[in-house]
Amino acid sequence: MWSPDEIASLCYNHFNKLPKRGKPEAGREWTLLAAVILQHTGHKQVVSLGTGTKCIGQSAMRMKGEVLNDSHAEVIARRGCVRYLTEQLFRAVSGQSSDVFCPGSEEGKWAVKPGVSFLFFTSQTPCGDASIFPMTGSQAQPCEPVKSIQSEESERRGQKRHAESDLEESDSHSSRRQSGDTDEHEVMTENKESNPSNAVLHCQPEEAKDIHRTGAKCVPAGPADPLQPGLLYHSAGVLRLKPGRGERTLSLSCSDKLARWGVLGFQGALLSHYLQEPLYFRAVVVGKCPYSHQAMQRALKTRCSDVRDLPSGFSVHDPEILQSGLEFPHNHTHTEAKHTHTQGRISPCGAAISWCAVSQQPLDVTANGYKQGVTKKALGTSQARSLISKVELFHSFLKVVAATEHSRLPETLRGKDLKTYWDYKQAAGPYQQAWTQLRLQAFPLWPRGPPELMLFS
């Protein structure tokens, strides 16, 4: 068995062993970390690790899948894990030894080896719904308490304080607060997207007078945040979009994405062609930070708990949710402690690190969605692309298809004229059916990405 501290320590030590490239500057920059851990018969191994706090705006998205839209640590870690799993699947279909997969009972399908499971670690409470919970008097708010509705109106017109602006840019939902567990005195109301009147938090007024904020904004056409003083600032349980630098993004919050992976699996649509069942995280471990187990339960589990009629193999997964007592040494709190006035303003690190346990080029460092240091002249070329971008992961998947004997192709890939990334995703019938049920029953307001951004080959 393992402990949350053991998982956190494993991830922090792995980060420390990575090269300096892409890491935050001590005393001036901070970042967040997430990782996927493979566990097999007592042995634990980090197979994917990511850092990052930023997203690109809608106008910066590209038609050929060569830019990373979302560089939050949780998303980077999951994409790196998909890259790792794709290589493991390639080894399996080509007759080599795989650490993860063995032949499944269905023709053309592969199963996870007995005893293999996956854990997810994040150094900070995921942005979005999981980071909305009442705060105790000992915890500092990242911005001044809300005084009135009028002050909120002024803020929304652009007269934002510096601390709030930082929150908008990177959604550092709790990185400015003192670390420590949050007392559970709150009573949450059930909230559905179709019923915004229930979307408020209630707690005993003597215990908490404000809530932790998230920079992620409610999706358009859905319930909006009340933006009233204290506990009535946010709606709970709703889908949220991450903020970008001055522009709203199309990237859903990490809370929303983790909830989605808890039903559809974290392997994605492409790999689901080959897998007998979706891959779910056995546990989600959070590092030391402002934290509410109840908010994590609501964000990752409760919102999807009533989903029914899923295709065979899919389920509403129930991962164990735990918190470690170990803090990430490169978060905002530690950076602030090391900061000197000569270093200028503290800011989130502009780079995102992806490392995964693959045989070639395991380390991938990006900035603004492209490889760090790339010149404008190189934009649009393969040299500028992250190895976990949509197009690179798609090409890796196509190598798996090419290495598969035709007689052993999964049924969903046989006899079809599939050319584009969109074609292959849509052809994953059971996965798309599960996604449809999840949308209909839990997340009807989940924004649909423009299909034209997925028509590359």
Side-chain angles (χ1 to χ4, degrees), residues 203-221:
C203 81
Q204 299 172 13
E206 296 302 318
E207 301 293 346
K209 300 187 185 303
D210 206 349
I211 58 172
H212 289 284
R213 309 284 172 78
T214 178
K217 299 293 187 286
C218 300
V219 296

Side-chain angles (χ1 to χ4, degrees), residues 152-168:
E152 293 300 331
E153 292 293 338
S154 296
E155 184 179 341
R156 280 181 286 172
R157 287 196 297 269
Q159 301 173 16
K160 297 189 177 181
R161 296 172 291 275
H162 286 302
E164 189 77 6
S165 179
D166 274 352
L167 186 68
E168 283 270 328

